[in-house]
Amino acid sequence: MRQYNKLPKQALVILGIALVLIISTVLWSSSRITQDVTEEVQSTLRDVGTQNALILRQEIRENFNLLYSLADEIGQAGNAENITAITGQLQSFVITYEFKRIGFVSPEGEVVTTDGYIQDLSSREFFIEGMQGLPGISNTLQDRIGTPEPINVFSIPVYDTDNNILGVLFATFRNQHFQEILSVQSFNNQGFSCLVNQDGEIISCSSNAPSSLLEASSVYRYIEDADSRNDRPLRDLSKVLSGSSPASGSFYGDGQKYYYHAVALDNLRNDRQWFVLTIVPDQVLSTRSTPVLLQVRLLILLIILIAAGGTLAYVHSIQIQRRQLFRLAYVDPLTGGDNFACFKEKMMRHNGDRGFYVALDLQDFKIINNTCGVAKGDETLIEVWKIIQSNIHLGEFSAHINADRFILFLRDKDCRTLGPRLQCLCQDLCNLSTKLNIPRVFPLCGVYETTDHREVEQNYGKAVQAKYLVKGKRTAHYAFYDELDIQQLSEDRLMEDAFDDALKNGEFQLWYQPKVDPVKGNILGAEALIRWKRPDGTMLSPGKFIPLFEKNGNITTLDEYVFRTVCEQQQKWLQNGATLYPISVNISRVSLYYSNVVDKYKEILGSFRLDPKYVPLEITESATIDNSDISSLIEQFHEAGFTLLLDDFGSGYSSLSSLNVMHFDTIKLDKSLIDYIGDENGEKLLLHITQLLQSFGMTITAEGVETSAQVEFLKNLHCDDIQGYFFSKPLPLMEFEAFARKHTGL
């Protein structure tokens, strides 16, 4: 009974302390929230300003790159007649880059423009500076030619081959484009941006900028007129606009405070500098903080009420709950070993100890669950845990996180001595395939070295990032974090996130590189090559996204997309009565690891009712090296009627003897072999290789042919067809069709 009476007293003490603490923190929480919201707004302000500056820098850089490219072409023309002819061909660039006009001004000040205006511009500042060898962008001008509107003039000098100035090339840029870039909504459209020069003159403003700012024409005049308290802010802004580093500040206006962030654009010249000013009113803070403060206060009141009712029950049951939670919190229910929470506790007690975090999982583990059942998958994970335990030493730790993910902390001398241990561990895991009669197990490990164990999740995350270096390659089991390119990882993540929408929206385009008869010059076929055109018009190189998609598995979907698209295009040509040529399609090494790959491609081909000879498949030489089933796959493709080409032959993995086992129909000689032409020993090597391959009954395609000397040599070798820039670069669909009509030989 005495013990029972003690319970309410404990509850009252705890409740009293809780109430005091809660009430005392209300004011502190309110001020802290306001401070955090202020910091958040300022951080967002910096991000928005930086993003606007990046977009403007890109716009300006692209425009100047175009002008420099055109200037080089005009400089090569040499005389006025040729220059006039070239400038007459610039209308397509005006449309593409959305200029109002492009023009060339002769040294006498006479101008030739794409829209046909001819006048004397010898007094214009951009012309005078251009004739002095100076590029530049003008402040905002009012265009009096054609439709009156605000403009900015991009200009650069044009040099002839002797480095003499031939004149000035300029492009008239609609100021409206700057306004559109600056008009990206921010802070619920309460924030606005403007582009100013180093003197504070306004170049352009976002569409929601105050009318008083637009009328002032100078940001200094606008701030000066806004409030009498702005003497100090004006001096601060003047310092900002006289430098080149990003900076933030504030000023007063309309009865409230405004915050701004200034970011300098790239210097055109030392005496010219533009800045992006992103401005947000103080009322954004109250808009954001007031609802939060109200919710916090309501939440605190609710906590007080709940605490009053729950404290008694909590005190009564806390000991029992602790014992139960301790049993459940640190033991993994599947393996019976440590879970991640237990691992973190252990690591925190060993903070300062040097060692290696290892993130381990099994590539394509879901295949085991799908083909053998969940029970077999669980049995596999238990065996993985046993192998991990047998490979760790005293003072090292491990845990099962979830699914097929495990974490280890290993102590070793350095990366070189740790590598063999990881290789041994991975080999033991690979042996599970035979022991458990399951699909091939391929473990992957990412390794991060540290002595700081206060943030275990972050350390594990870095180890996981390292694992992406080997994910999907099947050439190595482990990689270290210090091998990572963090910027590339960020770019890869953006491409991964955009893949599904890009595929759905038709951003992936097929280009065709013709294969030509070296003797007659007739087209014999083509190779389909993938290109990624983003919504903003930029083209991503296959070298950027193909290796990434090979690692994350998206390449199989992309392979099937290319194959299906080629089949669809061949069907259209057939229905239109056009001559059909074989269009070869690349199939990646990753796709070849799937046992149903042949059936999948047969199914796609069958849906279009095409003869497989019109869609031959190209397999890279490297894909045949690490795939033990490649010979069987080749036979299955042949049985399905497909023609097979061995791509990149001679790129570094060649084994002539293996060709007796892998029966390819065509061998594509890699550019590295073609480049031997002109070297006596290299030509002998090419001669013997082609004679051997032809004796096997294989046809020969030469890749990367760029010179007439190479073409003549390959003719003498009786090479069947040629692919390379000598005849044609990869072409988009319409240009390829035009090339085919021109070189049909019919």
Side-chain angles (χ1 to χ4, degrees):
M1 187 69 176
R2 186 175 299 172
Q3 294 296 322
Y4 178 81
N5 288 334
K6 288 182 179 179
L7 185 59
K9 293 180 181 179
Q10 292 178 337
L12 289 173
V13 171
I14 295 174
L15 179 59
I17 294 173
L19 290 174
V20 170
L21 291 174
I22 291 172
I23 293 172
S24 65
T25 57
V26 170
L27 294 177
W28 178 87
S29 299
S30 298
S31 63
R32 182 65 186 178
I33 288 171
T34 302
Q35 180 182 347
D36 289 345
V37 171
T38 302
E39 292 175 355
E40 177 197 350
V41 169
Q42 291 178 342
S43 175
T44 305
L45 178 63
R46 290 192 294 271
D47 292 343
V48 171
T50 302
Q51 185 65 29
N52 285 340
L54 286 173
I55 297 173
L56 284 167
R57 285 192 188 109
Q58 182 64 26
E59 181 74 20
I60 292 171
R61 187 179 297 117
E62 288 180 356
N63 290 342
F64 270 111
N65 287 342
L66 170 67
L67 290 182
Y68 280 116
S69 176
L70 296 177
D72 288 342
E73 185 174 352
I74 292 173
Q76 294 295 325
N79 58 65
E81 181 179 346
N82 290 336
I83 290 173
T84 301
I86 290 175
T87 53
Q89 300 171 7
L90 300 180
Q91 185 61 37
S92 62
F93 296 102
V94 172
I95 296 172
T96 302
Y97 285 77
E98 299 182 335
F99 290 126
K100 189 171 184 181
R101 69 179 63 85
I102 297 177
F104 175 79
V105 189
S106 70
E108 293 76 25
E110 296 180 357
V111 64
V112 179
T113 69
T114 53
D115 51 1
Y117 289 100
I118 300 176
Q119 59 179 329
D120 184 0
L121 297 182
S122 59
S123 62
R124 293 294 178 91
E125 184 180 5
F126 76 85
F127 168 73
I128 296 171
E129 292 180 345
M131 291 303 296
Q132 295 172 356
L134 299 175
I137 310 176
S138 72
N139 293 334
T140 301
L141 307 172
Q142 189 68 25
D143 191 10
R144 296 184 177 86
I145 300 176
T147 304
E149 59 182 312
I151 59 168
N152 303 90
V153 179
F154 289 71
S155 60
I156 61 169
V158 178
Y159 295 90
D160 62 14
T161 55
D162 295 323
N163 210 29
N164 296 317
I165 295 180
L166 286 174
V168 178
L169 181 67
F170 72 92
T172 301
F173 185 81
R174 291 182 172 89
N175 187 262
Q176 177 188 353
H177 295 325
F178 284 142
Q179 180 183 356
E180 291 170 354
I181 294 173
L182 294 169
S183 294
V184 176
Q185 275 200 12
S186 60
F187 305 101
N188 294 324
N189 211 33
Q190 292 177 295
F192 56 93
S193 300
C194 60
L195 182 62
V196 302
N197 64 16
Q198 75 275 12
D199 298 321
E201 297 176 5
I202 297 173
I203 307 300
S204 185
C205 289
S206 57
S207 57
N208 66 329
S211 58
S212 55
L213 175 61
L214 298 173
E215 294 168 359
S217 74
S218 168
V219 70
Y220 292 136
R221 186 176 303 117
Y222 165 73
I223 294 176
E224 183 179 11
D225 295 342
D227 198 289
S228 60
R229 294 173 290 174
N230 283 333
D231 289 342
R232 176 64 181 273
L234 279 170
R235 290 195 297 271
D236 293 341
L237 179 59
S238 178
K239 292 179 182 178
V240 170
L241 298 187
S242 63
S244 59
S245 300
S248 299
S250 63
F251 62 91
Y252 299 95
D254 301 328
Q256 63 176 319
K257 194 173 185 179
Y258 284 81
Y259 298 93
Y260 68 82
H261 184 68
V263 181
L265 301 182
D266 295 335
N267 275 323
L268 297 174
R269 304 206 306 264
N270 292 332
D271 61 338
R272 297 278 176 89
Q273 182 70 69
W274 283 6
F275 295 82
V276 177
L277 280 180
T278 305
I279 305 170
V280 63
D282 187 46
Q283 69 183 34
V284 172
L285 297 179
S286 59
T287 302
R288 294 193 176 190
S289 61
T290 299
V292 177
L293 289 172
L294 178 61
Q295 293 297 323
V296 168
R297 288 164 183 163
L298 291 175
L299 180 61
I300 290 174
L301 177 60
L302 180 61
I303 290 173
I304 292 173
L305 297 175
I306 294 174
T311 300
L312 294 177
Y314 173 75
V315 173
H316 182 69
S317 62
I318 188 170
Q319 295 299 329
I320 297 174
Q321 291 176 351
R322 282 180 178 176
R323 288 193 295 269
Q324 292 175 339
L325 290 173
F326 186 82
R327 288 194 299 270
L328 297 175
Y330 297 112
V331 178
D332 180 71
L334 177 63
T335 64
D338 292 347
N339 64 9
F340 192 41
C342 184
F343 180 87
K344 288 192 289 184
E345 289 283 346
K346 290 181 178 180
M347 295 311 306
M348 290 178 183
R349 292 198 296 269
H350 289 79
N351 190 43
D353 291 3
R354 179 181 168 276
F356 299 87
Y357 282 79
V358 179
L360 183 150
D361 66 22
L362 306 179
Q363 185 162 301
D364 297 328
F365 174 74
K366 62 182 179 181
I367 295 177
I368 297 176
N369 279 335
N370 293 340
T371 59
C372 304
V374 175
K376 195 68 172 181
D378 290 345
E379 180 187 354
T380 302
L381 295 177
I382 293 172
E383 290 297 323
V384 169
W385 176 254
K386 291 178 181 178
I387 291 174
I388 290 174
Q389 296 308 295
S390 67
N391 278 273
I392 63 175
H393 302 156
L394 183 65
E396 299 179 333
F397 312 109
S398 60
H400 177 220
I401 299 178
N402 55 40
D404 62 320
R405 290 182 279 274
F406 296 84
I407 185 171
L408 296 80
F409 178 74
L410 304 180
R411 305 173 189 267
D412 224 296
K413 182 178 179 181
D414 53 35
C415 298
R416 290 174 297 180
T417 57
L418 180 65
R421 285 189 62 190
L422 293 176
Q423 190 64 36
C424 181
L425 169 63
C426 292
Q427 187 57 53
D428 290 345
L429 294 174
C430 289
N431 294 337
L432 284 177
S433 301
T434 303
K435 178 181 178 181
L436 301 179
N437 192 26
I438 56 177
R440 183 166 42 181
V441 172
F442 195 90
L444 297 174
C445 298
V447 188
Y448 174 63
E449 181 181 9
T450 185
T451 59
D452 186 355
H453 310 304
R454 291 171 296 180
E455 299 291 344
V456 175
E457 290 93 343
Q458 292 183 12
N459 295 338
Y460 173 67
K462 291 178 179 178
V464 170
Q465 287 182 333
K467 186 175 60 180
Y468 279 102
L469 287 173
V470 292
K471 187 174 179 65
K473 291 185 176 180
R474 292 185 178 267
T475 57
H477 288 288
Y478 61 88
F480 290 86
Y481 181 79
D482 56 8
E483 300 168 0
L484 279 171
D485 183 339
I486 300 301
Q487 181 178 356
Q488 185 60 50
L489 271 180
S490 176
E491 293 177 2
D492 289 350
R493 181 59 57 88
L494 291 175
M495 287 191 288
E496 286 179 333
D497 293 342
F499 175 76
D500 291 334
D501 288 339
L503 205 62
K504 185 191 308 179
N505 298 332
E507 295 178 21
F508 290 103
Q509 302 177 356
L510 291 193
W511 289 39
Y512 303 84
Q513 185 167 30
K515 299 176 183 178
V516 177
D517 184 331
V519 177
K520 299 180 180 180
N522 298 335
I523 184 171
L524 299 177
E527 177 183 0
L529 301 170
I530 193 72
R531 298 289 185 268
W532 188 354
K533 186 175 184 180
R534 298 311 313 274
D536 61 2
T538 58
M539 297 289 287
L540 290 184
S541 165
K544 277 186 171 289
F545 61 84
I546 293 296
L548 171 64
F549 294 158
E550 286 180 339
K551 287 193 293 184
N552 64 22
N554 285 340
I555 192 66
T556 58
T557 303
L558 192 60
D559 281 349
E560 292 173 14
Y561 170 82
V562 173
F563 183 75
R564 183 178 288 105
T565 305
V566 169
C567 290
E568 182 180 4
Q569 185 59 55
Q570 289 282 44
Q571 186 183 61
K572 289 179 180 178
W573 281 328
L574 184 63
Q575 292 171 349
N576 293 335
T579 303
L580 289 191
Y581 299 99
I583 307 295
S584 62
V585 175
N586 290 280
I587 181 168
S588 70
R589 71 170 73 189
V590 178
S591 295
L592 295 174
Y593 279 109
Y594 289 86
S595 57
N596 65 340
V597 61
V598 178
D599 293 335
K600 174 69 72 173
Y601 278 67
K602 282 174 58 180
E603 179 184 346
I604 295 173
L605 186 71
S607 67
F608 291 97
R609 298 181 180 178
L610 278 178
D611 190 325
K613 72 179 181 180
Y614 291 117
V615 196
L617 300 177
E618 295 194 15
I619 299 174
T620 60
E621 184 185 66
S622 59
T624 67
I625 303 301
D626 55 359
N627 190 334
S628 58
D629 300 326
I630 190 65
S631 297
S632 173
L633 281 173
I634 291 173
E635 291 305 317
Q636 292 178 50
F637 274 121
H638 275 144
E639 290 173 3
F642 285 99
T643 302
L644 296 183
L645 291 71
L646 180 61
D647 195 14
D648 298 336
F649 181 80
S651 59
Y653 299 94
S654 302
S655 175
L656 292 172
S657 60
S658 65
L659 295 178
N660 190 41
V661 179
M662 297 180 293
H663 302 293
F664 286 93
D665 302 288
T666 297
I667 303 298
K668 298 186 70 175
L669 301 179
D670 187 71
K671 185 180 186 301
S672 60
L673 290 178
I674 303 305
D675 288 341
Y676 283 150
I677 296 174
D679 175 79
E680 182 178 355
N681 291 332
E683 290 181 349
K684 288 180 181 178
L685 176 63
L686 269 174
L687 173 63
H688 293 301
I689 287 176
T690 53
Q691 287 178 343
L692 177 61
L693 295 176
Q694 288 166 344
S695 70
F696 286 166
M698 300 175 179
T699 58
I700 307 295
T701 296
E703 296 183 282
V705 179
E706 298 177 347
T707 68
S708 58
Q710 292 173 339
V711 173
E712 290 302 317
F713 183 83
L714 294 168
K715 282 182 184 179
N716 294 331
L717 293 184
H718 303 293
C719 183
D720 296 278
D721 52 68
I722 286 177
Q723 184 179 354
Y725 274 48
F726 181 81
F727 287 105
S728 176
K729 62 182 181 180
L731 302 171
L733 177 62
M734 295 183 64
E735 292 182 25
F736 170 72
E737 290 176 333
F739 182 93
R741 288 192 296 269
K742 183 177 180 181
H743 297 82
T744 185
L746 297 177

